[in-house]
Amino acid sequence: MGSTLIRGGLLADGSGDEPRIGDIRFAGGIITEVGRDLAPLADETVIEADGLLVTPGFVDVHTHFDGQATWDTQLAPSCWHGVTTVVMGNCGVGFAPVRPGQQDRLIELMEGVEDIPGTALHAGMAWGWESFADYLDVLDQRQWMIDVGTQVPHAAVRAYVMGERAGAGQPTADDITQMQVQVRQGMQAGALGISTSRMLAHRTSRGEIVPGTLAQEDELEAMADVLRELDTGVFEVVPRGMDGEISVEAHAEIDWMADLARKSGRPLVFSMVQTHTESDRWRVYLDRAAQLQAQGVPFYPEVGPRPVGIIFGLQSEFTPFSHRPTYAALENLPLAERLAEMRKPDVRAQILSEPVGQYRSQGQQDMHTNFANMYRIANPINWEPTRAETMPVLAAAAGMDVEAYLYDYLLGENGGNLILYPYTNYTSGTLAEVHEMLAHPATRFGLGDAGAHCGIACDAGSTTLLLAFWTRDRTDGPQIALGQAVRMITRDTADLYGLGDRGRLQPGYRADINLVDYAQLELLLPHMVWDLPTGARRIMQRAKGYVATFVAGEQTIANDQATGALPGRLIRGAKSGPPQSAL
């Protein structure tokens, strides 16, 4: 393959500096030259990038493609959003190690924690491994549109070592030693870190405690000791309290996490959101992180660019009308037939006259009846709606009952209109707190959860949202500088996971490159698709404005469509950047 010259683009090179006009040449999957007015070489492919933003490929460090990566080659939605590298194995869940005959248990963990349909996982995964090293060997035979790295999941390790005691039980000293053996073998085989979840709301699909949730500090420190011993890897944590829990244990999370990062010397990254119960707790965590980083402790809150919540509509598993008898009788009809019935005045009147019914948990009851926390997701999308745009206010303005207004709204766009019910990051009814998190130098960008929460959310387009909304379209508060935003999703995330060979537009780095029509970049409306194995559904969200994406020098995206190229490979272990003399 010959060289390629991208000429005259606006280069946001991953350094965080103000973007500048320039040229980039790459060959053999590596950037070879960056400058101005580079002369084309003989037989070189030339791409005119005038008017386009040119960035390093985006590195998304919080995904859940652990099962999907064994059958799928695209790894959508990430591939549609400029992402060229993903890290999976987050939140303590994954599919290795696994004892023969125990595969169903790990599927129950993933289905419960990450809302990935168990039927799809059963049908799509061929398995064929026991150890984590075996799992990586299977992945090593795969090809994708993007590069894939993974982490050793604590829940799977605990289940492998402790069996039926793994949920609520406490390990013996020998159990802890055996867990260290599994983690060490996984890291030596090429894992990028370890992950664990401490959140009580995380449960298996059977409602059982996720292994590792109740782990004590000695167990967690023993795993971190392996990272210290090998001098590699990240420790990723979903801490207690992220679901709004208020307890001594939740308040103490910051202390043990900080202590672990200090003792191990390895990066500890933890999920951080604004909860509805203690809306300023995140500031305590953020201040502590800044203090620790100033002391040289690698301690990083991971934050996202939007409210964390659920999306629902008429094609979701539940709606605000699901437990009303008349609607329940229609629920399994094809959408077009259901819409035709729901538009009949007598059917509408009957559904609205019936009591709400009982959902399977108080949380579900609230999210389908608390109309004051419901916002529209419809074209044109408003990513920062005000309290004046909640369902009760809109209904009052229309002179309608709120349930009737919501009913009619969900019928709109041929049943495609959706509702956002935010759990976190929107307590004030603005994104002011999210801006504070994103703009703080102590945080790292993430929490997109690509591949997960198939029926209730799709935050995998967070990279597109960061560029289109936060650097260009936001009007109700400060924006984020374009160069800074690009650095957040390239250099910063790559460096966090030791991927020093990518995330920059500089000679010697991988030719993972995006060409973006920045003026037209848009995160499109979420919609339901049925493309998982067995026809299981998931929410998909595409983008408009990615003129080209290159992974290791091969073009995977052309004008928002896949080219069919599959240059993505498994990443084994940390990667060094080019020698300084090459820069």
Side-chain angles (χ1 to χ4, degrees):
M1 183 182 297
S3 63
T4 298
L5 176 63
I6 298 172
R7 190 161 62 178
L10 182 65
L11 308 186
D13 62 8
S15 67
D17 294 342
E18 186 74 18
R20 67 192 189 280
I21 300 298
D23 308 335
I24 299 174
R25 173 174 285 123
F26 60 85
I30 300 295
I31 297 172
T32 58
E33 194 172 1
V34 178
R36 284 292 302 271
D37 302 321
L38 299 181
L41 303 176
D43 299 322
E44 183 170 57
T45 300
V46 178
I47 300 173
E48 299 294 347
D50 181 46
L52 300 180
L53 175 67
V54 183
T55 76
F58 306 146
V59 179
D60 186 347
V61 298
H62 195 109
T63 76
H64 292 280
F65 289 121
D66 308 73
Q68 189 176 334
T70 67
W71 74 74
D72 183 29
T73 58
Q74 286 190 335
L75 300 186
S78 294
C79 64
W80 309 127
H81 296 283
V83 174
T84 56
T85 300
V86 296
V87 178
M88 58 190 191
N90 287 283
C91 303
V93 290
F95 296 112
V98 59
R99 293 196 182 278
Q102 294 299 308
Q103 290 89 346
D104 287 0
R105 187 174 188 186
L106 296 190
I107 288 177
E108 290 169 2
L109 286 173
M110 186 67 77
E111 183 177 24
V113 174
E114 301 300 341
D115 185 40
I116 301 173
T119 54
L121 293 170
H122 279 291
M125 295 177 65
W127 296 93
W129 61 83
E130 177 172 348
S131 70
F132 193 87
D134 296 339
Y135 175 59
L136 293 190
D137 287 344
V138 170
L139 293 178
D140 224 351
Q141 303 305 308
R142 302 283 303 164
Q143 299 179 13
W144 307 282
M145 286 177 64
I146 56 185
D147 271 10
V148 174
T150 190
Q151 301 168 95
V152 179
H154 184 194
V157 169
R158 214 174 200 259
Y160 187 86
V161 170
M162 295 178 62
E164 294 302 318
R165 297 178 292 120
Q170 291 304 316
T172 65
D174 184 62
D175 289 334
I176 291 177
T177 298
Q178 291 305 310
M179 281 189 245
Q180 285 183 304
V181 169
Q182 293 301 317
V183 170
R184 185 178 295 107
Q185 290 177 353
M187 294 302 301
Q188 290 174 332
L192 299 179
I194 308 166
S195 71
T196 192
S197 173
R198 314 262 300 156
M199 194 166 74
L200 292 180
H202 277 171
R203 299 278 173 150
T204 74
S205 59
R206 294 177 180 268
E208 299 168 350
I209 288 283
V210 171
T213 302
L214 305 178
Q216 300 299 306
E217 290 182 29
D218 59 342
E219 179 179 343
L220 299 165
E221 288 183 5
M223 292 191 297
D225 280 346
V226 176
L227 303 186
R228 177 189 54 76
E229 167 198 325
L230 299 176
D231 193 25
T232 191
V234 172
F235 201 110
E236 188 264 339
V237 182
V238 180
R240 291 283 290 272
M242 193 178 162
D243 54 357
E245 175 194 352
I246 299 176
S247 66
V248 172
E249 290 81 5
H251 290 166
E253 289 290 270
I254 191 77
D255 295 321
W256 78 259
M257 290 191 299
D259 196 42
L260 186 147
R262 184 183 293 108
K263 289 179 179 178
S264 70
R266 300 306 308 166
L268 184 142
V269 58
F270 66 96
S271 305
M272 187 178 79
V273 296
Q274 178 197 43
T275 65
H276 60 288
T277 50
E278 289 185 306
S279 59
D280 284 332
R281 184 196 297 176
W282 65 273
R283 283 199 172 94
V284 175
Y285 281 24
L286 188 56
D287 290 344
R288 185 73 177 278
Q291 293 167 5
L292 288 164
Q293 288 179 27
Q295 298 166 10
V297 180
F299 186 77
Y300 301 99
E302 184 177 324
V303 300
R306 63 200 294 179
V308 179
I310 70 158
I311 294 172
F312 62 84
L314 291 182
Q315 297 180 82
S316 305
E317 182 178 0
F318 295 109
T319 77
F321 312 108
S322 291
H323 292 284
R324 303 180 191 213
T326 302
Y327 181 84
L330 306 174
E331 195 161 27
N332 292 323
L333 290 176
L335 180 62
E337 294 180 29
R338 193 168 6 133
L339 288 172
E341 288 297 314
M342 292 180 69
R343 288 181 178 128
K344 294 177 180 178
D346 58 330
V347 173
R348 178 181 184 273
Q350 183 62 32
I351 290 174
L352 292 174
S353 72
E354 293 170 352
V356 171
Q358 190 65 42
Y359 289 80
R360 62 189 183 196
S361 70
Q362 187 58 50
Q364 285 200 355
Q365 194 81 22
D366 291 343
M367 76 177 67
H368 292 102
T369 58
N370 180 12
F371 304 115
N373 195 43
M374 294 183 188
Y375 298 87
R376 298 182 299 178
I377 303 181
N379 285 319
I381 304 174
N382 180 1
W383 295 110
E384 192 170 9
T386 67
R387 299 288 193 210
E389 296 167 87
T390 57
M391 287 294 124
V393 178
L394 294 173
M400 298 176 66
D401 172 79
V402 65
E403 292 189 1
Y405 180 88
L406 177 61
Y407 185 101
D408 293 347
Y409 167 76
L410 290 176
L411 293 178
E413 297 294 324
N414 292 317
N417 282 345
L418 297 168
I419 293 290
L420 170 66
Y421 187 97
Y423 280 130
T424 66
N425 283 357
Y426 218 61
T427 302
S428 66
T430 75
L431 290 172
E433 292 84 1
V434 173
H435 176 269
E436 193 173 336
M437 295 181 201
L438 289 173
H440 199 289
T443 64
R444 292 296 179 266
F445 188 91
L447 305 187
D449 272 340
H453 306 299
C454 297
I456 60 174
C458 185
D459 293 339
S462 291
T463 50
T464 301
L465 183 68
L466 180 67
L467 295 187
F469 174 74
W470 282 103
T471 75
R472 190 193 66 199
D473 293 343
R474 190 178 191 226
T475 58
D476 292 336
Q479 297 182 353
I480 294 174
L482 179 57
Q484 177 187 356
V486 171
R487 187 203 71 219
M488 289 161 59
I489 53 179
T490 57
R491 187 194 74 180
D492 286 356
T493 44
D495 287 357
L496 177 64
Y497 271 81
L499 302 178
D501 62 340
R502 64 199 70 201
R504 297 149 171 86
L505 297 181
Q506 295 180 25
Y509 286 87
R510 277 174 55 102
D512 295 345
I513 301 171
N514 288 314
L515 277 68
V516 183
D517 185 348
Y518 178 62
Q520 299 299 319
L521 184 64
E522 182 182 359
L523 185 57
L524 302 178
L525 197 68
H527 61 283
M528 198 72 73
V529 296
W530 286 262
D531 64 351
L532 292 175
T534 71
R537 66 184 160 192
R538 59 173 171 160
I539 299 175
M540 182 61 64
Q541 192 165 25
R542 297 285 294 262
K544 181 177 73 174
Y546 288 97
V547 175
T549 295
F550 293 88
V551 174
E554 292 190 50
Q555 189 171 357
T556 58
I557 294 290
N559 297 317
D560 304 313
Q561 302 300 317
T563 65
L566 300 175
R569 299 293 185 269
L570 175 68
I571 302 169
R572 286 188 184 262
K575 304 296 179 185
S576 299
Q580 290 300 305
S581 59
L583 302 182

